[in-house]
């Protein structure tokens, strides 16, 4: 009998890389396409695929954080920043194919969210569900970020509608 729901089996990183195609970045490319499209269904399906293959979710989350870091560095500092940290030409080509789909603000916020969620995912009673929640949040992050962080300019007419004036309160005791 296989592991129960919520349990995970440790799989050696090299097996994970081979099995999921992470060495060729296939799995991450699929995930980033779903995130860019804000496609919750594909994001959830991706997570189920990981859980179904009983991969080490902790390793995957570390890979995701490293990828987001590299994408952010590429957006901020260009290809040279990746070369300086030792990225291979194959990795740089992957990052260059994914990075244009996201703003630097999105990548930074996503990287931070993944780092902050890493421990809770790996120690959760339901690590796959915790990872799925993180990935769905990442899919909607572009909608949740303030326009300035996301790199979106609000039209001038909408800028005035941002916050209604706070209603004045009657003085206490009247």
């Amino acid at each position: 009998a296989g592991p129960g729901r919520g349990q995970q089996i440790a799989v050696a990183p090299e097996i994970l890389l081979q099995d999921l195609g992470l060495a060729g970045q296939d799995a991450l490319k699929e995930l980033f396409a779903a995130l860019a499209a804000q496609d919750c269904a594909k994001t959830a399906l991706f997570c189920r695929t990981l859980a179904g293959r009983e991969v080490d979710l902790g390793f995957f989350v570390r890979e995701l954080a490293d990828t987001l870091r590299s994408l952010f560095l590429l957006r901020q500092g260009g290809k040279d920043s990746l070369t300086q940290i030792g990225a291979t030409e194959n990795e740089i080509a992957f990052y260059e194919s994914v990075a244009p789909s996201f703003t630097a603000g999105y990548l930074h916020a996503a990287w931070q969210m993944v780092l902050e969620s890493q421990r809770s995912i790996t120690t959760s009673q339901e690590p796959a569900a915790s990872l799925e929640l993180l990935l769905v949040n990442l899919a909607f992050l572009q909608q949740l970020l303030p326009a300035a962080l996301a790199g979106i300019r609000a039209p001038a007419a909408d800028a005035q509608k941002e916050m209604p004036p706070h209603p004045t309160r009657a003085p206490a005791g009247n």
Side-chain angles (χ1 to χ4, degrees):
R5 187 164 191 220
Q7 294 179 343
Q8 57 182 321
I9 293 180
V11 176
E14 58 275 4
I15 293 172
L16 175 65
L17 290 171
Q18 253 182 349
D19 188 38
L20 292 180
L22 288 177
Q25 306 300 334
D26 297 337
L28 286 175
K29 194 169 209 162
E30 177 184 323
L31 173 61
F32 280 104
L35 294 176
Q38 298 178 1
D39 189 332
C40 280
K42 283 186 180 175
T43 302
L45 181 59
F46 177 85
C47 205
R48 285 193 186 134
T49 300
L50 287 180
R53 292 184 180 180
E54 300 176 344
V55 300
D56 180 341
L57 297 181
F59 176 79
F60 173 76
V61 172
R62 287 189 300 278
E63 279 288 308
L64 181 57
D66 286 346
T67 300
L68 287 164
R69 182 201 75 196
S70 295
L71 290 168
F72 175 73
L73 291 174
L74 176 63
R75 294 289 295 188
Q76 288 300 102
K79 186 176 178 178
D80 287 342
S81 63
L82 295 179
T83 304
Q84 290 174 14
I85 63 168
T88 67
E89 285 300 318
N90 185 38
E91 290 169 330
I92 292 171
F94 167 73
Y95 300 138
E96 288 178 326
S97 73
V98 172
S101 299
F102 303 96
T103 65
Y106 172 89
L107 293 169
H108 186 271
W111 176 26
Q112 183 175 358
M113 285 175 62
V114 170
L115 287 174
E116 290 174 354
S117 299
Q118 191 171 2
R119 182 172 172 83
S120 65
I121 290 169
T122 58
T123 60
S124 173
Q125 292 289 345
E126 296 287 341
S130 294
L131 177 61
E132 184 174 345
L133 177 61
L134 171 65
L135 296 180
V136 168
N137 285 340
L138 291 177
F140 284 115
L141 182 59
Q142 294 179 65
Q143 294 175 19
L144 301 174
L145 277 177
L149 277 179
I152 301 167
R153 281 188 76 151
D158 289 343
Q160 295 175 353
K161 297 180 191 175
E162 285 183 31
M163 288 289 288
H166 188 281
T168 57
R169 297 182 185 183
N174 283 353

